Amino acid sequence: MLESGLIIRALMRNKIGALLIALQIALTMTIMVNAIFMIQDRQQQMARSSGINEGDTFYLTNTIFAQDYNTRVGLQTDLNAIRKTPGVVDAIQINAIPLSGGGWSSGLQTQPGEDKDGVNTAIYMVDDHAINTLDLELIAGENFSPSDIDWRLPAQSAWPAKVIITQALANALFPDNGQSALGKTVYISNNQPMQVIGIIKNLQAPWNGWSGVERSALVPFQMETRSGRYFIRTEPGRRDELMPLIENMLAKSDKGRIIRRLTTMEETREQSYRQHNATNKILMTVVSTLTLITAFGIVGLAIFSINRRTKQIGTRRALGATRWQVMRYFMVENLFISAVGIIIGCIGTVSLNYWLVNKFNMTPLGFELIALGVVTLVIVGQLAVLYPARKAALISPATATRTV
Amino acid sequence: MFSYYLRLAAISIRRHWGLSLIMITAIGLGIGTAMTTVTVNYMMSANPIPQKSEQLFYVQLDNWDVNDPWDEGQNPPDQMTYTDATNLFKADKAFRHSISAQAFAVIEPQDPDLLPITVNARANSSDFFAMFNVPFLYGGAWNAQADSNKELVAVINKETNDTLFAGKNSVGELLRIDGNLFKIVGVIDSWQPTPKYYDLSSGAFNDTEALFVPFSLIAEEKITRAGNTSCWKPSGDGMAAFLRSECVWLQFWVELRDEQEQQDYQAFLNAYVKQQKQLGRFERPLDNRLSNVMQWLENQEVVADDAKMMMAMSFMFLIVCLLNTVGLLLAKFLGKAPEIGLRQALGASKATLFYQYLVESACIGLGGGLLGLILAWLGLQSVAAMYGDYMKDLTGLDTTMVLLAMLLALGSTVIAGLYPTWRACNVQPSQQLKSQ
């Protein structure tokens, strides 16, 4: 570019203004790239599947207060009644709900003994209808049979003899070959054996922030409890119509208990990631206003410098410079300023990311995002300078002959 | 003179209304964003009990698996076993102490027409109320006797009292809880420490409980235990076996009035664990911790990382806005060079010129600050709406925050205006007059 030398020399004479814009661009880039990185990170977390059917399912809490209530009979009666309701695909009693934040975890180990390392996993206590109700994909082995289901009393320490585990748990227990987990014996509570009879593809633990969130196990238990949860799957599209029906049916069938907390899986997911969603929205707002402010700053300063140079521009026009050449001058000038800002910005971006990685245990940022930041800021700078530059180009050569 | 400068500033702001608007908007957005995040952080990290946060200590003992330590050995378990809590309680070495655990209850109203209600409850020892400054509307806490005698007494909160007794003084009334009749001894007035520091195990910003009963009733199975429970060793069947187990599920706090009491208590804890080691428990190295309220909140990372990150970001954002203002003020003031030259030639001193332009910067700062307050208020409303219950008590804009916002806006704009003002005052009058 012909005038680059000229533009740089002119810029050096008014360093402060240019430096201020460059600094703004640098900080904008630092914040923008890191914020977008954090947004992406959250979105990836939110995009993970819980493994269960979330669209057609809901759950409720059944709390018994009557003193003479037969919990075993009550549970069977309830489940039979729910399963027979037209529109219901299947239903189970369950001790915890994926994504809900509250649940049961335990260590499993491949060898018995107190001195052996274990792998932590979420425990879901369910019966043989679980795979159908939750809509899980069994990739190896088989489901529980009705005779596998044991009763679990409150504060009981004995575990059943069979277990179905997720692929991720299989891989964690048998790092060499996860598939080999099928048929093997694992130990819970240090030395109680359980045989792995099935492997399911995917089922998340209740805690979405846990590093082992993909590790879950299904244990064949029906719980003798005075406050339990029923999880229900309906035919597609019929959930909302069936929720009040089932609530009513259960509440009316026995006065010795309270049916409460009817919740859909969709609500649970929304609740679970509410903070993530909100944080992302805020970060998005910050990034866009920030870019806008920087753009306005560029506009303001460019207009100012053009006003100051009205006479020189008029003179250049009088000496034969075309409108396009005048415009180009300011656009190239902005390009130089942006370049300085972006170089500082790259250093800032990487430093802030380094700090974030150290302080908040995040993964380091990829190169593509930095490149994206560079391109965005160059475009924003050029767009912002367009209006003042056009204004400059419209200055008539006659201006040069007038005094201010 | 001040009012004259104000008038000049008004004229100048009106003449360059575009530039001024950009500056006010930029400062407003910067202040608004910074104040929103600062407020959220400030509320999250608020001291829930400033009167005695230095005297209340959360006790942690490391009873965990020697092969698979809690938190990879970084921290002892965040709750305590029944064995240890009751042993420490019996030893009675602190000024006050409180064992507490989450519980769950069904209350059956006397009136047969009313439906039973389920409530979140707490099983705690009598000192709990005095330690955490729980305010009473009627009656008061039960006494230590009631704890040891396992009396069926209860304290309920205002909402429950409103529901069941229409807000009347219900002290002395009987309440059917899980089939047993409890006598009400006290009604708590509105009480919601934020964060809910006395038990962070299931969320730092949850509601306080509706019902409080003596802790000793848990062992009697007169109240149902709830809340997070972590175990590493097989425990055996039944409640008695569970209470003997290495499962951690309750919170133990002590009140220690001075440094000496703290040291004594720490020594006592160490001696206790050494003695337990001889019984074959506590195989991990000695790691007994006493954390005061603020240390405990810090340790449990009550202020979410997200909130901290966003505060850092919003301050960088404010800096960008201020850089913007410096640039624009510079443009504006330098544009006035001819005017400044003229005034200097007519005898205006540098000091008066400096004063005049600072007044103008301050006006812009004030405008930005006001806009910032409005934006911060809007920002907090949307934060409250987006985060829901989790943030409901964290998004108030109090006087401290309003003052801080205005101070931040004014201070930062004046500082931002210093360099442009200084440049403007150093204009060479002769040169400016020549070019006229």
Side-chain angles (χ1 to χ4, degrees), chain A residues 16-17 20 23-24 27-28 30-31 34-35 38 42 63-65 67 114-118 154-158 189-191 227 258 260-261 274-275 278-279 281-283 286 289-290 293-294 296-297 300-301 304 308 352 355-356 360 362, chain B residues 19 22 26 29 33 65 67-68 104 106 108 116-118 120 178-179 232-239 242 304-306 308-310 312-313 316-317 319-321 323-324 326-328 330-332 334-335 383 385-388 390 419 423:
Chain A
I16 294 295
L20 284 172
L23 275 180
Q24 267 189 63
L27 270 174
T28 305
T30 306
I31 299 177
N34 279 287
M38 296 197 301
R42 273 194 191 77
T63 304
I64 296 151
F65 62 88
Q67 296 304 302
E114 289 185 17
D115 52 343
K116 300 293 190 303
D117 277 352
Q156 170 181 321
S157 64
S189 285
N190 290 341
N191 42 34
S227 188
I258 308 171
R260 59 197 180 102
R261 293 194 187 152
R274 194 160 200 177
Q275 238 179 299
T279 305
K281 277 188 203 150
I282 293 174
L283 286 175
V286 166
T289 27
L290 188 62
I293 285 181
T294 304
F296 275 121
L301 275 174
F304 164 72
R308 281 204 352 154
L352 178 64
W355 181 75
L356 289 173
F360 302 109
M362 301 201 318
Chain B
L19 269 187
I22 294 182
L29 283 171
T33 317
D65 189 350
N67 297 305
D68 193 5
F104 168 82
V106 178
E108 289 175 70
I117 54 170
T118 56
N120 284 328
D178 292 343
W232 60 273
K233 233 182 173 173
S235 57
D237 288 335
M239 193 63 182
F242 174 74
D305 277 358
D306 278 3
K308 279 195 239 171
M309 255 186 302
M310 278 200 276
M313 291 257 183
M316 291 177 70
F317 181 78
I319 292 174
V320 174
C321 296
L323 279 176
N324 199 303
V326 177
L328 295 177
L330 193 67
K332 193 172 172 188
L334 286 185
V383 166
M386 286 191 292
Y387 284 94
Y390 172 68
Y419 175 73
R423 278 285 300 270

Side-chain angles (χ1 to χ4, degrees), chain A residues 332-361:
Chain A
V332 173
E333 185 185 71
N334 177 273
L335 205 60
F336 281 131
I337 298 174
S338 298
V340 174
I342 285 169
I343 291 167
I344 306 174
C346 284
I347 301 169
T349 306
V350 174
S351 324
L352 178 64
N353 185 249
Y354 183 77
W355 181 75
L356 289 173
V357 167
N358 275 306
K359 180 127 185 164
F360 302 109
N361 289 325

Side-chain angles (χ1 to χ4, degrees), chain B residues 182-394:
Chain B
F182 281 65
K183 194 171 129 197
I184 298 175
V185 295
V187 176
I188 294 176
D189 205 351
S190 307
W191 179 58
Q192 180 63 60
T194 307
K196 188 186 155 199
Y197 63 101
Y198 61 85
D199 180 8
L200 300 170
S201 65
S202 60
F205 303 99
N206 287 350
D207 286 338
T208 49
E209 292 77 6
L211 172 74
F212 298 79
V213 298
F215 177 76
S216 46
L217 296 180
I218 280 200
E220 306 291 302
E221 300 190 61
K222 291 280 179 8
I223 187 91
T224 314
R225 201 179 64 76
N228 278 329
T229 305
S230 307
C231 309
W232 60 273
K233 233 182 173 173
S235 57
D237 288 335
M239 193 63 182
F242 174 74
L243 295 180
R244 276 195 311 271
S245 75
E246 292 291 340
C247 298
V248 295
W249 52 281
L250 43 82
Q251 304 90 42
F252 195 83
W253 285 87
V254 290
E255 184 171 341
L256 305 167
R257 288 163 297 181
D258 54 42
E259 190 79 20
Q260 188 55 47
E261 287 192 0
Q262 270 177 57
Q263 281 171 11
D264 291 350
Y265 203 79
Q266 184 77 50
F268 157 70
L269 285 180
N270 292 350
Y272 168 75
V273 171
K274 277 183 194 142
Q275 171 224 327
Q276 289 290 312
K277 275 173 182 283
Q278 288 171 355
L279 302 174
R281 299 182 61 222
F282 291 96
E283 291 174 66
R284 299 236 326 122
L286 210 58
D287 188 6
N288 305 318
R289 303 222 190 143
L290 283 177
S291 316
N292 70 30
V293 174
M294 294 316 277
Q295 287 165 343
W296 181 236
L297 293 179
E298 171 84 12
N299 175 284
Q300 293 291 292
E301 295 174 356
V302 162
V303 181
D305 277 358
D306 278 3
K308 279 195 239 171
M309 255 186 302
M310 278 200 276
M311 190 164 74
M313 291 257 183
S314 70
F315 270 97
M316 291 177 70
F317 181 78
L318 180 62
I319 292 174
V320 174
C321 296
L322 291 177
L323 279 176
N324 199 303
T325 310
V326 177
L328 295 177
L329 277 177
L330 193 67
K332 193 172 172 188
F333 290 172
L334 286 185
K336 290 192 183 184
E339 187 190 318
I340 295 169
L342 188 63
R343 288 195 56 207
Q344 275 188 317
L346 291 175
S349 74
K350 272 190 188 168
T352 56
L353 280 170
F354 197 75
Y355 186 26
Q356 182 201 328
Y357 285 102
L358 272 191
V359 169
E360 192 174 332
S361 314
C363 283
I364 289 171
L366 210 63
L370 285 176
L371 181 65
L373 272 184
I374 299 171
L375 291 175
W377 185 79
L378 285 175
L380 287 171
Q381 297 300 308
S382 51
V383 166
M386 286 191 292
Y387 284 94
D389 287 348
Y390 172 68
M391 284 281 179
K392 73 178 184 304
D393 294 320
L394 301 174

